[in-house]
């Protein structure tokens, strides 16, 4: 009899800077610690490769291709640690001014999935679209690990339940959410509420990694299919580890078959 599907996962909350080498060094330190604690999937925040506040033209100057230093270094690190790593990077776009806000999932043999943020943060006084090109609406970005499906989304996408539902319809058992959830009035409340809501309504796990304060709200979390926080970080840098288990998903869906009884599908909106 095969072992039940269960994957130890970690969220690594750290503050990326304008130094790309420093960011990679910090990622290596955190990933090594997370792996030593048993994690097989290690998740880092949005903009892990490069970040400035406010966003400016330096993003384009520090953008990379998917075969650039950032991704190839992550692949080598994943190989050394025998893990899968998910992290956000600033990717080159179709013009010289803009970039793509991209998330990659990698393991030692290469890239497993790529997701480009669909909903840009043009809200709460911010205009991410000044600098970032939105990703196209299309196939769900998912990957498999340890008999479980994981789906990628990014930060502000969390406010749009359709993104999560598309991933779950593509057999994701857990939503992986790198973020830079900017601080502001009630923003911590919105973050934690939405993480729980996406888990509860889809009966899946949510694995979310944020930037710490003072720019982000922190509170990176691993949330179970009933919206219970299994492990989390406060407002400083840190690591949280918990296990994602298929048995827990099946148990919840026995009493709450919300996916099976739903009456509506998700369709892309015309631009």
């Amino acid at each position: 009899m095969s072992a039940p599907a269960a994957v130890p996962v970690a969220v690594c909350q750290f503050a990326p800077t304008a130094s790309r080498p420093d960011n990679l060094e910090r990622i290596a330190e955190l990933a090594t610690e997370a792996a030593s604690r048993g994690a097989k999937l290690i998740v880092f925040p949005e903009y892990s490769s490069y970040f400035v506040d406010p966003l400016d033209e330096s993003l384009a100057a520090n953008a990379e291709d998917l075969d650039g230093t950032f991704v190839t270094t992550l692949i080598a690190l994943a190989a050394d640690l025998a893990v899968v790593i998910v992290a956000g990077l600033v990717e080159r776009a179709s013009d010289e001014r803009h970039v793509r806000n991209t998330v990659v999932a990698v393991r030692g043999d290469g890239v497993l999935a790529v997701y480009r943020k669909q909903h840009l943060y043009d809200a709460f006084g911010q205009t991410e679209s000044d600098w970032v090109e939105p990703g196209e609406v299309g196939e769900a970005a998912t990957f498999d690990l340890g008999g479980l499906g994981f789906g990628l989304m990014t930060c502000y996408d969390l406010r749009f339940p359709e993104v999560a539902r598309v991933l779950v319809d593509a057999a994701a058992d857990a939503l992986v959410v790198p973020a830079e959830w900017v601080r502001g009035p009630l923003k911590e409340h919105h973050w934690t509420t939405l993480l729980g809501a996406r888990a509860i309504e889809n009966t899946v796990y949510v694995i979310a990694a944020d930037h710490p304060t003072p720019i982000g709200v922190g509170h990176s979390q691993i949330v179970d299919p009933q919206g219970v926080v299994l492990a989390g970080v406060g407002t400083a840098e840190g690591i949280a580890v918990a296990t994602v288990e298929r048995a827990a998903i099946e148990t919840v869906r026995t009493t709450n078959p919300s996916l099976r009884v739903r009456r509506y599908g998700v369709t892309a909106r015309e631009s």
Side-chain angles (χ1 to χ4, degrees):
M1 180 180 295
S2 61
V7 178
V9 304
V11 288
C12 294
Q13 183 167 291
F14 89 110
T17 70
S19 171
R20 290 152 65 189
D22 286 354
N23 293 335
L24 280 171
E25 181 178 350
R26 188 66 180 128
I27 286 170
E29 293 170 350
L30 291 166
T32 299
E33 181 180 345
S36 74
R37 294 169 59 180
K40 293 301 180 182
L41 170 64
I42 304 172
V43 181
F44 290 91
E46 179 183 22
Y47 289 116
S48 283
S49 71
Y50 180 85
F51 183 69
V52 289
D53 179 52
L55 302 180
D56 61 24
E57 63 278 355
S58 70
L59 288 174
N62 287 276
E64 301 185 26
D65 294 322
L66 292 179
D67 59 357
T69 300
F70 184 76
V71 175
T72 56
T73 302
L74 290 188
I75 291 170
L77 180 62
D80 288 343
L81 299 175
V83 299
V84 170
I85 296 175
V86 173
L89 76 143
V90 179
E91 184 193 4
R92 288 195 178 98
S94 60
D95 63 66
E96 294 183 355
R97 173 182 170 82
H98 292 89
V99 300
R100 294 186 177 100
N101 185 335
T102 301
V103 170
V104 293
V106 306
R107 67 182 177 199
D109 58 353
V111 175
L112 296 176
V114 177
Y115 175 75
R116 297 178 176 98
K117 189 176 183 182
Q118 295 177 15
H119 296 93
L120 301 184
Y121 187 59
D122 289 0
F124 298 93
Q126 308 276 338
T127 51
E128 189 178 30
S129 63
D130 284 348
W131 310 105
V132 178
E133 177 182 283
E136 294 184 4
V137 177
E139 292 185 7
T142 63
F143 64 94
D144 294 328
L145 176 63
L148 292 164
F150 297 84
L152 303 177
M153 58 193 295
T154 311
C155 198
Y156 192 51
D157 286 324
L158 193 64
R159 293 184 180 271
F160 302 88
E162 300 85 0
V163 179
R165 185 53 54 82
V166 167
L167 292 171
V168 174
D169 284 350
D173 300 297
L175 309 176
V176 182
V177 192
E180 203 299 275
W181 199 268
V182 180
R183 292 185 74 194
L186 296 177
K187 292 294 294 300
E188 178 182 318
H189 170 64
H190 290 185
W191 168 248
T192 55
T193 298
L194 289 167
L195 292 177
R198 297 294 85 88
I200 293 167
E201 70 194 7
N202 292 293
T203 55
V204 294
Y205 288 87
V206 176
I207 306 161
D210 192 25
H211 291 215
T213 59
I215 298 175
V217 301
H219 294 285
S220 299
Q221 296 180 354
I222 302 161
V223 184
D224 83 358
Q226 295 197 89
V228 176
V229 178
L230 299 179
V233 185
T235 57
E237 289 196 353
I239 299 171
V241 179
T243 299
V244 172
E245 300 178 276
R246 179 170 301 285
I249 298 171
E250 293 174 348
T251 297
V252 171
R253 290 179 180 176
T254 298
T255 56
N256 177 23
S258 58
L259 294 177
R260 179 168 54 81
V261 301
R262 70 186 173 101
R263 303 289 296 277
Y264 293 89
V266 177
T267 58
R269 180 180 178 182
E270 293 184 5
S271 300

